[in-house]
Short mmCIF file of all heavy atoms in Angstrom, two decimals:
data_model
loop_
_atom_site.label_atom_id
_atom_site.label_comp_id
_atom_site.label_asym_id
_atom_site.label_seq_id
_atom_site.Cartn_x
_atom_site.Cartn_y
_atom_site.Cartn_z
N ALA J 27 91.39 133.50 140.94
CA ALA J 27 91.19 133.93 142.29
C ALA J 27 92.39 134.76 142.72
O ALA J 27 92.14 135.82 143.29
CB ALA J 27 91.20 132.68 143.21
N ILE J 28 93.59 134.46 142.27
CA ILE J 28 94.78 135.22 142.69
C ILE J 28 94.76 136.58 141.93
O ILE J 28 95.29 137.64 142.41
CB ILE J 28 96.07 134.49 142.47
CG1 ILE J 28 97.21 135.05 143.30
CG2 ILE J 28 96.48 134.51 141.02
CD1 ILE J 28 97.03 134.82 144.83
N GLY J 29 94.26 136.68 140.79
CA GLY J 29 94.13 137.87 139.87
C GLY J 29 93.23 138.94 140.57
O GLY J 29 93.41 140.02 140.15
N SER J 30 92.37 138.50 141.40
CA SER J 30 91.39 139.43 142.05
C SER J 30 91.87 140.01 143.22
O SER J 30 91.23 140.96 143.77
CB SER J 30 89.96 138.77 142.19
OG SER J 30 90.19 137.76 143.25
N VAL J 31 93.07 139.64 143.78
CA VAL J 31 93.56 140.08 145.01
C VAL J 31 94.99 140.76 144.82
O VAL J 31 95.89 140.16 144.26
CB VAL J 31 93.72 138.93 146.02
CG1 VAL J 31 94.38 139.45 147.28
CG2 VAL J 31 92.45 138.31 146.28
N ASP J 32 95.13 142.08 145.07
CA ASP J 32 96.26 142.84 144.82
C ASP J 32 96.80 143.29 146.19
O ASP J 32 96.49 144.36 146.68
CB ASP J 32 95.96 144.07 144.02
CG ASP J 32 97.22 144.72 143.45
OD1 ASP J 32 98.34 144.45 144.06
OD2 ASP J 32 97.12 145.58 142.47
N VAL J 33 97.59 142.49 146.87
CA VAL J 33 98.19 142.68 148.09
C VAL J 33 99.17 143.95 148.05
O VAL J 33 99.15 144.78 148.98
CB VAL J 33 98.98 141.55 148.68
CG1 VAL J 33 99.76 141.76 149.89
CG2 VAL J 33 98.08 140.28 148.82
N GLN J 34 99.95 144.08 146.93
CA GLN J 34 100.72 145.24 146.85
C GLN J 34 100.06 146.56 146.86
O GLN J 34 100.51 147.60 147.40
CB GLN J 34 101.64 145.11 145.62
CG GLN J 34 102.85 144.09 145.74
CD GLN J 34 103.79 144.44 146.93
OE1 GLN J 34 103.65 143.68 148.06
NE2 GLN J 34 104.64 145.42 146.75
N LYS J 35 98.88 146.56 146.29
CA LYS J 35 98.10 147.89 146.23
C LYS J 35 97.50 148.12 147.58
O LYS J 35 97.56 149.32 148.08
CB LYS J 35 96.95 147.74 145.15
CG LYS J 35 96.23 149.00 144.98
CD LYS J 35 95.26 148.83 143.80
CE LYS J 35 94.52 150.11 143.52
NZ LYS J 35 93.53 150.02 142.45
N GLY J 36 97.01 147.14 148.22
CA GLY J 36 96.39 147.31 149.67
C GLY J 36 97.33 147.52 150.73
O GLY J 36 97.05 148.21 151.68
N PHE J 37 98.55 146.92 150.44
CA PHE J 37 99.62 146.93 151.57
C PHE J 37 100.95 147.42 150.80
O PHE J 37 101.87 146.52 150.74
CB PHE J 37 99.78 145.59 152.21
CG PHE J 37 98.58 145.05 152.85
CD1 PHE J 37 97.54 144.43 152.26
CD2 PHE J 37 98.41 145.29 154.23
CE1 PHE J 37 96.28 144.10 152.81
CE2 PHE J 37 97.29 144.88 154.95
CZ PHE J 37 96.27 144.17 154.23
N PRO J 38 101.07 148.63 150.40
CA PRO J 38 102.20 149.01 149.69
C PRO J 38 103.53 148.84 150.42
O PRO J 38 104.59 148.75 149.90
CB PRO J 38 101.98 150.50 149.33
CG PRO J 38 100.76 150.96 149.97
CD PRO J 38 100.02 149.66 150.53
N ASP J 39 103.47 148.82 151.70
CA ASP J 39 104.65 148.58 152.59
C ASP J 39 104.90 147.14 152.96
O ASP J 39 105.71 146.84 153.89
CB ASP J 39 104.68 149.43 153.78
CG ASP J 39 103.59 149.15 154.74
OD1 ASP J 39 102.65 148.40 154.45
OD2 ASP J 39 103.64 149.53 155.94
N PHE J 40 104.13 146.31 152.29
CA PHE J 40 104.23 144.84 152.71
C PHE J 40 105.63 144.32 152.56
O PHE J 40 106.29 144.52 151.48
CB PHE J 40 103.27 143.95 151.78
CG PHE J 40 103.12 142.61 152.35
CD1 PHE J 40 102.47 142.26 153.50
CD2 PHE J 40 103.83 141.56 151.65
CE1 PHE J 40 102.25 140.94 153.87
CE2 PHE J 40 103.71 140.18 152.20
CZ PHE J 40 102.93 139.94 153.30
N SER J 41 106.02 143.67 153.54
CA SER J 41 107.46 143.02 153.58
C SER J 41 107.27 141.51 153.61
O SER J 41 107.00 140.87 154.74
CB SER J 41 108.21 143.58 154.83
OG SER J 41 109.45 142.78 154.88
N PRO J 42 107.29 140.81 152.51
CA PRO J 42 107.15 139.40 152.55
C PRO J 42 108.41 138.76 153.25
O PRO J 42 109.51 139.26 153.09
CB PRO J 42 107.07 138.93 151.09
CG PRO J 42 107.77 140.05 150.30
CD PRO J 42 107.64 141.27 151.22
N GLN J 43 108.13 137.68 154.00
CA GLN J 43 109.26 137.03 154.69
C GLN J 43 109.14 135.51 154.37
O GLN J 43 108.29 134.82 154.96
CB GLN J 43 109.25 137.36 156.19
CG GLN J 43 109.30 138.78 156.43
CD GLN J 43 108.75 139.16 157.85
OE1 GLN J 43 107.90 138.48 158.50
NE2 GLN J 43 109.27 140.30 158.38
N PHE J 44 110.09 135.06 153.66
CA PHE J 44 110.16 133.66 153.24
C PHE J 44 111.47 133.03 153.69
O PHE J 44 112.51 133.77 153.44
CB PHE J 44 109.99 133.40 151.75
CG PHE J 44 108.72 134.08 151.17
CD1 PHE J 44 108.78 135.14 150.43
CD2 PHE J 44 107.49 133.38 151.45
CE1 PHE J 44 107.57 135.74 150.00
CE2 PHE J 44 106.30 133.98 150.91
CZ PHE J 44 106.44 135.07 150.19
#
Side-chain angles (χ1 to χ4, degrees):
I28 201 74
S30 68
V31 178
D32 190 347
V33 174
Q34 285 303 102
K35 188 174 182 181
F37 299 82
D39 65 343
F40 188 75
S41 174
Q43 301 162 333
F44 303 106

